[in-house]
Amino acid sequence: MARMNNDTIRPRCDHAPAWAALREHFESTGSKLDLREAFRLDEGRFQAFSQQAPHVFADLSRNLIDTQSQGLLLELARECGVEKHRDAMFAGEAINNTEQRPVKHWLLRAPRNYNSDDPDLALVHSTLDAMLAYAEEVRGDDAITDIVNIGIGGSDLGPQMAVAALDSFAAAGKRFHFVSNIDGHELAAVLKKVRPVSTLFLVASKTFTTIETMTNARSARAWFEAEGGRDIARHFAALTTNVAAAREFGISTTFGFWDWVGGRYSIWSAIGLPVAMAIGAGRFRELLAGAHEMDRHFATTPLETNLPVRLGLLDVWYRNFHGFTSRNVAPYHSALRRLPAYLQQLEMESNGKRVDAQGRALSFATSPVLWGEPGTNGQHAYFQMLHQGTDVVPVEFIAAKKANHALPGHHELLLANALAQAQALMQGKADEGGHRNFPGNRPSSFFLLDALTPASLGALLAMHEHRVFVSGSLWGINSFDQWGVELGKVLALDVAARLASGDAAGLDGSTAGLLRHIRG
Ligand code: F6P
């Protein structure tokens, strides 16, 4: 049960003795670490800085860390009470202190027999059973050929990413479409391709108030009726914590979830329904099981060999000591093409904060900018900047040992490219001419899955969730609210009214000028 907790006032990283020790270490030797030299001096470096976690092998040895920085970072984690904070999350305490909510997305993937006295576990499983039964029903219904998910942010990015990622596990005969933007071009393009009689619309919205989603849902319903569609009950379902609002909208098939699931952590809930419809109930349970394995790893493994902890510490090291402002996500698996966008919301909406959990201004940087594209495409676009630009951007390679296709030759070349890029970033190349000189010593991490499967995807995503938790915890911020998205939403309503009326009174000069231009 949610209860007020005493843990909201956590020791902040910049007040911890290890923070000062890290600063000193960085200024003396840490900032000068040369990876090529480090590998020459230490034959065991790969071993020391790589590990197998559930479903994910992580090679962190090409990062700008040594045993001293790693030791001090671990000390920082201890001094900041990361373990206590983590345990508070898993105990269901209200660690989302600005909204007084517990943070329990991990409970959504806990097995039925999980040793927990949390009364929500039974609710989670009865909802999951109902949702998966419905997913199977729709999978078996040949008359439904198109599933249109209408949702935005966490109600879009997770399912969209996972449906693409697990395409090789999807049944034939169903097409999935994702409409998120309020820009009518997006919905119109989908509506051109589907017919009311064979389409199921899933209106996915935690709050069921989000303007983009409600506008798209209303337009979809109007189109459905205008095109002769009958039986809204059969052709519309809602995934929401606000079941009452969905009913009022006219949707009778609803699958609920709870306010303790953040939007960007909701793929494991009813929001995952399109994924379950694509891959089936059994596979969806495998996705949850993979994530649960990572949860247990995070909850129980000592800090030294706890992968999300090591990654979160690295994030702090890079952001606050090296001053790196961004991180590149390079999935060498085209099915993971939406992963960078998914991780963008996870990292930047969670940790893009400038005050701590008590509202006090921070004197250090938080969330890096996350960006990326699948390899090898990125190599022919922005890798130039990664190799020879003026900024150092840590790169995270994600690859699978085995492909999910049978085309000969491709996968070997794909893997060779990923390895070669990581190698080139670190090795560099001396050339007196300058233009052909690669400085090298550019850091990267390499994540290797056996294959991209529901279970390994689940583990990979949970690993990222917990890593964001760790850096947010060290920074002393609340990673589970998102007040920063509110102002624009309020102003948009005001501007919409002014666009209709032409009233520019009191607006800033630029907005007023543009408004007049738009109105002609
Ligand atoms: O952009 C803010 C946000 O609240 C996200 O956190 C959320 O994932 C998204 O909007 C969608 O919200 P909802 O699911 O309530 O429509």
Side-chain angles (χ1 to χ4, degrees), residues 35-84:
L35 288 167
R36 299 153 290 198
E37 185 69 2
F39 273 101
R40 261 196 298 276
L41 294 176
D42 179 7
E43 277 186 10
R45 184 172 171 88
F46 176 77
Q47 210 62 32
F49 292 100
S50 65
Q51 75 170 98
Q52 179 69 56
H55 300 280
V56 183
F57 179 81
D59 172 18
L60 308 182
S61 65
R62 276 191 274 226
N63 282 293
L64 300 168
I65 39 172
D66 54 19
T67 40
Q68 198 183 347
S69 40
Q70 171 130 313
L72 287 171
L73 287 164
L74 287 164
E75 217 169 294
L76 183 71
R78 287 195 190 92
E79 288 173 2
C80 294
V82 168
E83 286 156 297
K84 199 166 162 222

Short mmCIF file of all heavy atoms in Angstrom, two decimals, residues 35-84:
data_model
loop_
_atom_site.label_atom_id
_atom_site.label_comp_id
_atom_site.label_asym_id
_atom_site.label_seq_id
_atom_site.Cartn_x
_atom_site.Cartn_y
_atom_site.Cartn_z
N LEU A 35 41.83 4.73 -23.36
CA LEU A 35 41.32 3.36 -23.41
C LEU A 35 42.32 2.39 -24.02
O LEU A 35 42.46 1.26 -23.58
CB LEU A 35 40.02 3.34 -24.22
CG LEU A 35 38.81 3.96 -23.52
CD1 LEU A 35 37.66 4.17 -24.50
CD2 LEU A 35 38.36 3.09 -22.35
N ARG A 36 43.03 2.86 -25.05
CA ARG A 36 43.99 1.97 -25.70
C ARG A 36 45.09 1.56 -24.74
O ARG A 36 45.47 0.39 -24.64
CB ARG A 36 44.58 2.67 -26.95
CG ARG A 36 43.46 2.98 -27.93
CD ARG A 36 43.73 4.15 -28.80
NE ARG A 36 43.70 5.43 -28.10
CZ ARG A 36 43.57 6.61 -28.69
NH1 ARG A 36 43.44 6.67 -30.00
NH2 ARG A 36 43.58 7.73 -28.01
N GLU A 37 45.53 2.54 -23.97
CA GLU A 37 46.54 2.31 -22.96
C GLU A 37 45.99 1.39 -21.84
O GLU A 37 46.66 0.47 -21.38
CB GLU A 37 46.93 3.68 -22.38
CG GLU A 37 48.06 3.70 -21.40
CD GLU A 37 49.41 3.39 -22.05
OE1 GLU A 37 49.45 3.20 -23.29
OE2 GLU A 37 50.40 3.31 -21.30
N ALA A 38 44.76 1.67 -21.46
CA ALA A 38 44.14 0.88 -20.38
C ALA A 38 44.07 -0.59 -20.77
O ALA A 38 44.32 -1.47 -19.94
CB ALA A 38 42.76 1.43 -20.06
N PHE A 39 43.73 -0.88 -22.02
CA PHE A 39 43.69 -2.28 -22.47
C PHE A 39 45.09 -2.88 -22.54
O PHE A 39 45.28 -4.05 -22.25
CB PHE A 39 43.00 -2.39 -23.85
CG PHE A 39 41.49 -2.51 -23.75
CD1 PHE A 39 40.67 -1.43 -23.97
CD2 PHE A 39 40.90 -3.73 -23.41
CE1 PHE A 39 39.28 -1.54 -23.86
CE2 PHE A 39 39.52 -3.86 -23.31
CZ PHE A 39 38.72 -2.76 -23.53
N ARG A 40 46.07 -2.05 -22.92
CA ARG A 40 47.45 -2.56 -22.99
C ARG A 40 47.96 -2.94 -21.61
O ARG A 40 48.60 -3.96 -21.42
CB ARG A 40 48.37 -1.49 -23.59
CG ARG A 40 48.64 -1.71 -25.10
CD ARG A 40 49.84 -0.90 -25.59
NE ARG A 40 49.63 0.54 -25.45
CZ ARG A 40 48.99 1.30 -26.34
NH1 ARG A 40 48.47 0.75 -27.43
NH2 ARG A 40 48.85 2.59 -26.15
N LEU A 41 47.60 -2.10 -20.63
CA LEU A 41 48.11 -2.32 -19.28
C LEU A 41 47.38 -3.41 -18.51
O LEU A 41 47.90 -3.96 -17.55
CB LEU A 41 48.03 -1.01 -18.47
CG LEU A 41 48.92 0.13 -18.95
CD1 LEU A 41 48.66 1.38 -18.14
CD2 LEU A 41 50.40 -0.27 -18.86
N ASP A 42 46.16 -3.68 -18.91
CA ASP A 42 45.35 -4.62 -18.13
C ASP A 42 44.69 -5.65 -19.03
O ASP A 42 43.69 -5.37 -19.68
CB ASP A 42 44.29 -3.81 -17.35
CG ASP A 42 43.40 -4.72 -16.52
OD1 ASP A 42 43.68 -5.93 -16.43
OD2 ASP A 42 42.40 -4.20 -15.97
N GLU A 43 45.25 -6.85 -19.01
CA GLU A 43 44.70 -7.92 -19.85
C GLU A 43 43.31 -8.33 -19.40
O GLU A 43 42.53 -8.89 -20.16
CB GLU A 43 45.61 -9.16 -19.78
CG GLU A 43 46.76 -9.07 -20.72
CD GLU A 43 47.56 -10.36 -20.73
OE1 GLU A 43 47.10 -11.36 -20.16
OE2 GLU A 43 48.67 -10.32 -21.29
N GLY A 44 43.01 -8.07 -18.15
CA GLY A 44 41.72 -8.49 -17.60
C GLY A 44 40.64 -7.42 -17.73
O GLY A 44 39.57 -7.53 -17.13
N ARG A 45 40.93 -6.35 -18.50
CA ARG A 45 39.97 -5.23 -18.54
C ARG A 45 38.59 -5.65 -19.07
O ARG A 45 37.57 -5.28 -18.52
CB ARG A 45 40.55 -4.08 -19.38
CG ARG A 45 39.65 -2.87 -19.38
CD ARG A 45 40.25 -1.65 -20.04
NE ARG A 45 39.21 -0.63 -20.17
CZ ARG A 45 38.91 0.28 -19.23
NH1 ARG A 45 39.60 0.33 -18.11
NH2 ARG A 45 37.92 1.14 -19.40
N PHE A 46 38.60 -6.43 -20.14
CA PHE A 46 37.31 -6.86 -20.70
C PHE A 46 36.51 -7.60 -19.64
O PHE A 46 35.32 -7.34 -19.42
CB PHE A 46 37.53 -7.73 -21.94
CG PHE A 46 36.26 -8.29 -22.52
CD1 PHE A 46 35.41 -7.49 -23.27
CD2 PHE A 46 35.89 -9.62 -22.29
CE1 PHE A 46 34.22 -8.00 -23.80
CE2 PHE A 46 34.71 -10.13 -22.81
CZ PHE A 46 33.88 -9.33 -23.57
N GLN A 47 37.18 -8.52 -18.97
CA GLN A 47 36.56 -9.33 -17.92
C GLN A 47 36.01 -8.44 -16.79
O GLN A 47 34.88 -8.62 -16.35
CB GLN A 47 37.64 -10.27 -17.34
CG GLN A 47 37.14 -11.59 -16.83
CD GLN A 47 36.50 -12.40 -17.95
OE1 GLN A 47 36.90 -12.31 -19.10
NE2 GLN A 47 35.47 -13.15 -17.58
N ALA A 48 36.82 -7.49 -16.38
CA ALA A 48 36.45 -6.67 -15.23
C ALA A 48 35.28 -5.74 -15.52
O ALA A 48 34.50 -5.41 -14.63
CB ALA A 48 37.66 -5.84 -14.78
N PHE A 49 35.18 -5.33 -16.77
CA PHE A 49 34.15 -4.34 -17.09
C PHE A 49 33.07 -4.89 -18.01
O PHE A 49 32.43 -4.14 -18.75
CB PHE A 49 34.78 -3.06 -17.68
CG PHE A 49 35.60 -2.30 -16.68
CD1 PHE A 49 36.99 -2.42 -16.66
CD2 PHE A 49 34.99 -1.51 -15.73
CE1 PHE A 49 37.75 -1.73 -15.73
CE2 PHE A 49 35.74 -0.82 -14.78
CZ PHE A 49 37.13 -0.93 -14.78
N SER A 50 32.89 -6.22 -17.99
CA SER A 50 31.77 -6.77 -18.75
C SER A 50 31.04 -7.75 -17.84
O SER A 50 31.59 -8.22 -16.84
CB SER A 50 32.25 -7.46 -20.02
OG SER A 50 33.04 -8.58 -19.69
N GLN A 51 29.81 -8.03 -18.16
CA GLN A 51 29.06 -8.98 -17.33
C GLN A 51 27.85 -9.52 -18.06
O GLN A 51 27.34 -8.89 -18.99
CB GLN A 51 28.61 -8.33 -16.03
CG GLN A 51 27.45 -7.37 -16.15
CD GLN A 51 26.91 -6.97 -14.78
OE1 GLN A 51 27.26 -5.89 -14.28
NE2 GLN A 51 26.07 -7.80 -14.18
N GLN A 52 27.44 -10.71 -17.60
CA GLN A 52 26.21 -11.29 -18.11
C GLN A 52 25.11 -10.99 -17.09
O GLN A 52 25.20 -11.39 -15.94
CB GLN A 52 26.37 -12.81 -18.29
CG GLN A 52 25.14 -13.53 -18.79
CD GLN A 52 24.79 -13.19 -20.24
OE1 GLN A 52 25.61 -13.36 -21.14
NE2 GLN A 52 23.57 -12.69 -20.47
N ALA A 53 24.09 -10.27 -17.51
CA ALA A 53 22.89 -10.08 -16.68
C ALA A 53 21.79 -10.88 -17.37
O ALA A 53 22.01 -11.41 -18.46
CB ALA A 53 22.56 -8.59 -16.62
N PRO A 54 20.61 -11.00 -16.78
CA PRO A 54 19.57 -11.79 -17.45
C PRO A 54 19.31 -11.31 -18.88
O PRO A 54 18.97 -10.14 -19.10
CB PRO A 54 18.33 -11.56 -16.57
CG PRO A 54 18.88 -11.26 -15.22
CD PRO A 54 20.16 -10.52 -15.46
N HIS A 55 19.56 -12.21 -19.82
CA HIS A 55 19.31 -12.00 -21.26
C HIS A 55 20.20 -10.94 -21.92
O HIS A 55 20.12 -10.73 -23.13
CB HIS A 55 17.84 -11.64 -21.54
CG HIS A 55 16.88 -12.68 -21.10
ND1 HIS A 55 16.64 -13.82 -21.83
CD2 HIS A 55 16.12 -12.79 -19.98
CE1 HIS A 55 15.75 -14.57 -21.19
NE2 HIS A 55 15.44 -13.97 -20.07
N VAL A 56 20.97 -10.22 -21.16
CA VAL A 56 21.78 -9.13 -21.73
C VAL A 56 23.23 -9.31 -21.29
O VAL A 56 23.53 -9.30 -20.09
CB VAL A 56 21.30 -7.74 -21.25
CG1 VAL A 56 22.11 -6.63 -21.92
CG2 VAL A 56 19.82 -7.55 -21.49
N PHE A 57 24.11 -9.47 -22.30
CA PHE A 57 25.54 -9.41 -22.00
C PHE A 57 25.98 -7.98 -22.26
O PHE A 57 25.67 -7.41 -23.32
CB PHE A 57 26.33 -10.39 -22.88
CG PHE A 57 27.81 -10.32 -22.61
CD1 PHE A 57 28.35 -10.99 -21.52
CD2 PHE A 57 28.64 -9.54 -23.40
CE1 PHE A 57 29.72 -10.89 -21.23
CE2 PHE A 57 30.01 -9.44 -23.12
CZ PHE A 57 30.53 -10.12 -22.03
N ALA A 58 26.68 -7.38 -21.29
CA ALA A 58 27.07 -5.98 -21.45
C ALA A 58 28.59 -5.86 -21.37
O ALA A 58 29.20 -6.27 -20.39
CB ALA A 58 26.44 -5.14 -20.35
N ASP A 59 29.17 -5.31 -22.44
CA ASP A 59 30.60 -5.00 -22.42
C ASP A 59 30.75 -3.50 -22.18
O ASP A 59 30.47 -2.68 -23.06
CB ASP A 59 31.24 -5.40 -23.76
CG ASP A 59 32.68 -4.90 -23.84
OD1 ASP A 59 33.27 -4.58 -22.78
OD2 ASP A 59 33.22 -4.82 -24.97
N LEU A 60 31.18 -3.16 -20.97
CA LEU A 60 31.35 -1.74 -20.63
C LEU A 60 32.83 -1.36 -20.64
O LEU A 60 33.21 -0.28 -20.20
CB LEU A 60 30.76 -1.46 -19.23
CG LEU A 60 29.30 -1.93 -19.00
CD1 LEU A 60 28.83 -1.53 -17.61
CD2 LEU A 60 28.38 -1.34 -20.06
N SER A 61 33.68 -2.29 -21.15
CA SER A 61 35.12 -2.07 -21.00
C SER A 61 35.64 -0.92 -21.85
O SER A 61 36.72 -0.39 -21.60
CB SER A 61 35.89 -3.35 -21.35
OG SER A 61 35.71 -3.68 -22.71
N ARG A 62 34.86 -0.52 -22.88
CA ARG A 62 35.32 0.59 -23.71
C ARG A 62 34.77 1.93 -23.21
O ARG A 62 34.57 2.86 -23.98
CB ARG A 62 34.93 0.35 -25.17
CG ARG A 62 35.98 -0.53 -25.87
CD ARG A 62 35.77 -0.56 -27.35
NE ARG A 62 34.83 -1.58 -27.68
CZ ARG A 62 34.98 -2.46 -28.67
NH1 ARG A 62 36.08 -2.44 -29.40
NH2 ARG A 62 34.06 -3.34 -28.93
N ASN A 63 34.49 1.99 -21.92
CA ASN A 63 34.08 3.27 -21.34
C ASN A 63 35.23 3.89 -20.57
O ASN A 63 36.17 3.19 -20.16
CB ASN A 63 32.88 3.05 -20.41
CG ASN A 63 31.60 2.89 -21.21
OD1 ASN A 63 31.16 3.84 -21.86
ND2 ASN A 63 31.05 1.69 -21.22
N LEU A 64 35.15 5.21 -20.38
CA LEU A 64 36.26 5.95 -19.77
C LEU A 64 36.23 5.80 -18.25
O LEU A 64 36.05 6.77 -17.50
CB LEU A 64 36.17 7.43 -20.18
CG LEU A 64 36.25 7.67 -21.70
CD1 LEU A 64 35.87 9.10 -22.06
CD2 LEU A 64 37.65 7.33 -22.23
N ILE A 65 36.32 4.54 -17.82
CA ILE A 65 36.34 4.27 -16.38
C ILE A 65 37.52 3.36 -16.05
O ILE A 65 37.96 2.57 -16.89
CB ILE A 65 35.05 3.57 -15.89
CG1 ILE A 65 34.56 2.54 -16.92
CG2 ILE A 65 33.95 4.56 -15.54
CD1 ILE A 65 33.43 1.67 -16.44
N ASP A 66 37.97 3.47 -14.83
CA ASP A 66 38.98 2.53 -14.34
C ASP A 66 38.51 2.03 -12.97
O ASP A 66 37.44 2.42 -12.51
CB ASP A 66 40.36 3.19 -14.28
CG ASP A 66 40.35 4.47 -13.46
OD1 ASP A 66 39.40 4.66 -12.66
OD2 ASP A 66 41.28 5.28 -13.60
N THR A 67 39.29 1.17 -12.37
CA THR A 67 38.82 0.59 -11.10
C THR A 67 38.63 1.68 -10.04
O THR A 67 37.73 1.59 -9.22
CB THR A 67 39.80 -0.49 -10.57
OG1 THR A 67 41.11 -0.04 -10.80
CG2 THR A 67 39.59 -1.82 -11.24
N GLN A 68 39.44 2.73 -10.13
CA GLN A 68 39.30 3.79 -9.12
C GLN A 68 37.98 4.56 -9.30
O GLN A 68 37.23 4.77 -8.34
CB GLN A 68 40.48 4.75 -9.17
CG GLN A 68 40.59 5.57 -7.90
CD GLN A 68 41.72 6.57 -7.96
OE1 GLN A 68 42.58 6.52 -8.84
NE2 GLN A 68 41.73 7.50 -7.02
N SER A 69 37.69 4.95 -10.55
CA SER A 69 36.45 5.70 -10.74
C SER A 69 35.25 4.80 -10.45
O SER A 69 34.29 5.23 -9.80
CB SER A 69 36.35 6.32 -12.14
OG SER A 69 36.82 5.45 -13.12
N GLN A 70 35.34 3.54 -10.88
CA GLN A 70 34.23 2.62 -10.60
C GLN A 70 34.03 2.46 -9.09
O GLN A 70 32.90 2.49 -8.59
CB GLN A 70 34.49 1.26 -11.25
CG GLN A 70 33.49 0.22 -10.83
CD GLN A 70 32.89 -0.53 -12.01
OE1 GLN A 70 32.47 0.07 -13.00
NE2 GLN A 70 32.87 -1.83 -11.92
N GLY A 71 35.13 2.32 -8.34
CA GLY A 71 35.05 2.17 -6.89
C GLY A 71 34.41 3.40 -6.24
O GLY A 71 33.54 3.29 -5.38
N LEU A 72 34.84 4.59 -6.69
CA LEU A 72 34.29 5.82 -6.10
C LEU A 72 32.82 5.99 -6.46
O LEU A 72 32.01 6.47 -5.65
CB LEU A 72 35.10 7.03 -6.58
CG LEU A 72 36.50 7.17 -5.97
CD1 LEU A 72 37.30 8.27 -6.68
CD2 LEU A 72 36.42 7.48 -4.47
N LEU A 73 32.46 5.59 -7.68
CA LEU A 73 31.06 5.71 -8.09
C LEU A 73 30.19 4.78 -7.25
O LEU A 73 29.08 5.15 -6.83
CB LEU A 73 30.91 5.39 -9.59
CG LEU A 73 31.43 6.48 -10.53
CD1 LEU A 73 31.62 5.96 -11.95
CD2 LEU A 73 30.49 7.70 -10.54
N LEU A 74 30.71 3.59 -6.97
CA LEU A 74 29.95 2.65 -6.13
C LEU A 74 29.80 3.21 -4.71
O LEU A 74 28.75 3.09 -4.08
CB LEU A 74 30.65 1.28 -6.10
CG LEU A 74 30.52 0.47 -7.39
CD1 LEU A 74 31.54 -0.67 -7.43
CD2 LEU A 74 29.10 -0.08 -7.56
N GLU A 75 30.86 3.88 -4.26
CA GLU A 75 30.79 4.51 -2.95
C GLU A 75 29.73 5.62 -2.95
O GLU A 75 28.95 5.76 -2.00
CB GLU A 75 32.16 5.14 -2.66
CG GLU A 75 32.59 5.04 -1.21
CD GLU A 75 34.05 5.45 -1.11
OE1 GLU A 75 34.89 4.70 -1.67
OE2 GLU A 75 34.34 6.50 -0.52
N LEU A 76 29.68 6.35 -4.05
CA LEU A 76 28.67 7.41 -4.19
C LEU A 76 27.26 6.80 -4.08
O LEU A 76 26.39 7.34 -3.39
CB LEU A 76 28.85 8.11 -5.55
CG LEU A 76 27.91 9.28 -5.82
CD1 LEU A 76 28.26 10.48 -4.95
CD2 LEU A 76 27.96 9.70 -7.30
N ALA A 77 27.07 5.67 -4.77
CA ALA A 77 25.75 5.02 -4.74
C ALA A 77 25.39 4.64 -3.30
O ALA A 77 24.25 4.82 -2.87
CB ALA A 77 25.76 3.79 -5.63
N ARG A 78 26.37 4.15 -2.57
CA ARG A 78 26.09 3.74 -1.18
C ARG A 78 25.79 4.97 -0.33
O ARG A 78 24.83 4.99 0.43
CB ARG A 78 27.30 2.99 -0.59
CG ARG A 78 27.41 1.61 -1.19
CD ARG A 78 28.33 0.66 -0.45
NE ARG A 78 28.49 -0.51 -1.29
CZ ARG A 78 29.46 -0.67 -2.18
NH1 ARG A 78 30.41 0.24 -2.31
NH2 ARG A 78 29.51 -1.75 -2.94
N GLU A 79 26.61 6.00 -0.49
CA GLU A 79 26.41 7.20 0.33
C GLU A 79 25.05 7.86 0.03
O GLU A 79 24.45 8.48 0.90
CB GLU A 79 27.55 8.20 0.09
CG GLU A 79 28.87 7.75 0.70
CD GLU A 79 30.05 8.65 0.32
OE1 GLU A 79 29.84 9.65 -0.41
OE2 GLU A 79 31.18 8.34 0.74
N CYS A 80 24.61 7.73 -1.21
CA CYS A 80 23.33 8.36 -1.59
C CYS A 80 22.13 7.47 -1.30
O CYS A 80 20.99 7.84 -1.60
CB CYS A 80 23.34 8.74 -3.07
SG CYS A 80 24.53 10.02 -3.44
N GLY A 81 22.37 6.29 -0.76
CA GLY A 81 21.27 5.41 -0.37
C GLY A 81 20.48 4.86 -1.55
O GLY A 81 19.26 4.67 -1.45
N VAL A 82 21.16 4.56 -2.65
CA VAL A 82 20.46 4.04 -3.82
C VAL A 82 19.75 2.72 -3.49
O VAL A 82 18.61 2.49 -3.92
CB VAL A 82 21.44 3.86 -5.01
CG1 VAL A 82 20.81 3.05 -6.14
CG2 VAL A 82 21.87 5.22 -5.55
N GLU A 83 20.43 1.87 -2.70
CA GLU A 83 19.80 0.57 -2.37
C GLU A 83 18.52 0.76 -1.57
O GLU A 83 17.51 0.11 -1.82
CB GLU A 83 20.78 -0.30 -1.56
CG GLU A 83 21.90 -0.86 -2.42
CD GLU A 83 23.13 -1.20 -1.59
OE1 GLU A 83 23.72 -0.27 -0.99
OE2 GLU A 83 23.49 -2.38 -1.54
N LYS A 84 18.58 1.68 -0.61
CA LYS A 84 17.40 1.95 0.23
C LYS A 84 16.25 2.50 -0.63
O LYS A 84 15.09 2.12 -0.47
CB LYS A 84 17.81 2.97 1.30
CG LYS A 84 16.89 3.00 2.47
CD LYS A 84 17.55 3.77 3.62
CE LYS A 84 16.47 4.18 4.61
NZ LYS A 84 16.65 5.52 5.11
#
